[in-house]
Every structure is written in structure tokens, then in C-alpha cells.
Amino acid sequence: MKEQTNKYRHEIKYFISKRQAAELRIFLKKNMCIDSNADIAGSYWIRSLYFDTVGNRDYYEKTMGYNIRKKIRLRIYDISTTYVKLELKNKSDNYVLKETVTISREDANKLIKGDSNPLLNYNQKVANKIFVFMHHEIYQPKVIIDYEREAYVYDIQNIRVTLDKNIHASFSSWDLFKDGLSMVPVFNDDIYVLEIKYNFMLPIFLRRALSNFTTQKSQISKYCMGRNILGI
């Protein structure tokens, strides 16, 4: 999936209704390009397994409103995949920097079981950074989040607008590749999460259009929302 960048980017999020999403979709299809990874329905499936420290430091830094924080997660787009994205998502206020290393399915399973040593074999800066976090701060699996994403891209300013729906959470198993994982919905079907990422500024036409569908920015975290709905 083409979403990685080596610079901090703007990231803002909103809750919108299913009706608003339908109206916005019409605009986005006319003025932006659908992500090339989308299926025939215009979306793709994502599963993320989030790690956190024993004391849930990343969770509390988010819920307590820290401006600078991070998340570590494994991400797949297909349960049959042989490769997994290991991501370090750095947040600084409304800016985000996502650092990614692609690891094997076997090594992802080792991480889930608490063995971070395979990361030393990748000889990549982000793998080494995550190894230090996981090894010294004893990161553990906390929750799995599934959802569907519609993504629209615009080359100028590297703009990416996404609509996330059908968000579900599970902590019944840490099997990242399991089909039919027991999950619970995080929201009802009427709620979508709108995310907007861009380098420096939004073009006027897009800013005006989005203002028709958005009101107030929200501090949305699928990781925290998933844990909250599960009571963990």
C-alpha cells in the first residue's frame, strides 16, 4: 500500500455520518483518484495488531492528550500474506510520521510471542528503533482492529483522503492471520472516520468541499477506541 512518507505530514480526523460519507464520496470520485489498491467496490480491508507496554503507556499518552506520542503495530491487508508491515507511527500534535519495515510472516508471529530479536536481522533504522522499544520496554500485543478503507489520492501536496468504516476490535486471540476472528463493532454502521493527510496545505477547492462535511476536528484513535469498547 502506498502510504509511507519520510516526513511529518498533516493528519486531521473527523467523525462523519454514513449519509455525509455518501455525499463526500461523490465529490472525491469526481476530483481525486481512487487508491490503486482498492477492489471493485472501491475499498480494501485492513487488520492492525497494536502493541503497548505492560503499563499501557502509549494508550495513556493518547487518552491524556500528550502532543508527542507513538504507536507500534503490525498491519496486513490479506490474511494469506507472507509479508507484514511493522509500523512505528509518530505523532506530534496534528502531524504524523509513519516509519515502516516489511517483515516476514514468521517474524511477525515471533514478535507477537514476545521475541523481538528477529528485527536485528533487517538492518534498517526503523527495525532497530522498534527493537529497542520492544526489548527494553517489554511491548505486548493489546488489541486487533479490522476495518474497511476507501482511499482517494491527489498528487499535489501528496493528499490522501480516507473513509474508514465497519471498524471492529478483538482481543480474544493474537493470531493476526486467523480468519473468522471473534470481534465486536467499535461503532454502529452509521459512523465513518474521515482522515485527511497532506504535506503542507490543502488546495482551496478541496478545503471548501471538505468544510461542508466536517465541523470540529476529533482526536480519534482506533487503537484506543477498540480498547475502550472492549473494556481493556
Side-chain angles (χ1 to χ4, degrees), residues 18-219:
K18 187 175 183 178
R19 179 186 59 78
Q20 289 175 309
E23 295 174 357
L24 179 57
R25 185 180 297 115
I26 294 172
F27 169 83
L28 295 173
K29 285 183 175 179
K30 286 182 178 178
N31 294 279
M32 300 180 70
C33 296
I34 298 175
D35 188 292
S36 59
N37 295 294
D39 60 18
I40 193 170
S43 62
Y44 54 88
W45 175 85
I46 298 174
R47 171 172 288 173
S48 297
L49 184 153
Y50 290 89
F51 295 87
D52 207 336
T53 66
V54 173
N56 300 308
R57 190 183 66 185
D58 296 347
Y59 171 86
Y60 285 115
E61 287 185 351
K62 168 62 180 177
T63 56
M64 295 174 70
Y66 282 43
N67 286 333
I68 298 175
R69 56 190 185 273
K70 68 179 183 308
K71 284 184 287 193
I72 298 174
R73 67 191 178 201
L74 292 168
R75 174 165 284 190
I76 61 172
Y77 303 91
D78 182 344
I79 58 173
S80 63
T81 186
T82 55
Y83 294 96
V84 179
K85 286 192 171 184
L86 174 61
E87 299 179 338
L88 174 60
K89 187 174 182 180
N90 307 279
K91 287 280 290 187
S92 178
D93 201 5
N94 289 325
Y95 299 90
V96 61
L97 170 62
K98 190 164 66 175
E99 301 174 272
T100 303
V101 56
T102 301
I103 65 175
S104 70
R105 182 183 179 116
E106 179 184 16
D107 287 343
N109 279 324
K110 289 180 180 178
L111 284 185
I112 293 169
K113 294 176 181 176
D115 180 8
S116 56
N117 289 315
L119 295 180
L120 298 175
N121 299 325
Y122 286 89
N123 194 30
Q124 291 191 36
K125 184 177 178 180
V126 61
N128 293 336
K129 288 169 69 175
I130 295 175
F131 169 80
V132 171
F133 285 131
M134 300 192 82
H135 185 71
H136 291 288
E137 302 183 43
I138 315 177
Y139 270 73
Q140 302 172 333
K142 294 293 182 177
V143 68
I144 289 179
I145 302 290
D146 285 7
Y147 58 98
E148 294 176 56
R149 165 164 285 179
E150 299 174 44
Y152 301 86
V153 296
Y154 191 77
D155 285 342
I156 297 175
Q157 294 293 320
N158 193 18
I159 298 166
R160 185 176 179 84
V161 178
T162 57
L163 294 167
D164 295 339
K165 58 187 177 181
N166 297 326
I167 303 172
H168 288 69
S170 174
F171 73 113
S172 62
S173 167
W174 302 134
D175 187 348
L176 183 63
F177 309 100
K178 182 178 181 180
D179 192 14
L181 198 62
S182 177
M183 309 197 87
V184 299
V186 175
F187 305 122
N188 64 49
D189 292 342
D190 188 55
I191 299 178
Y192 283 50
V193 175
L194 168 63
E195 293 186 10
I196 305 162
K197 299 187 184 78
Y198 56 97
N199 287 349
F200 300 107
M201 64 175 62
L202 289 174
I204 293 176
F205 83 95
L206 186 56
R207 191 162 63 241
R208 286 177 176 170
L210 291 171
S211 68
N212 294 325
F213 302 96
T214 58
T215 53
Q216 186 173 2
K217 288 185 291 186
S218 300
Q219 297 298 317

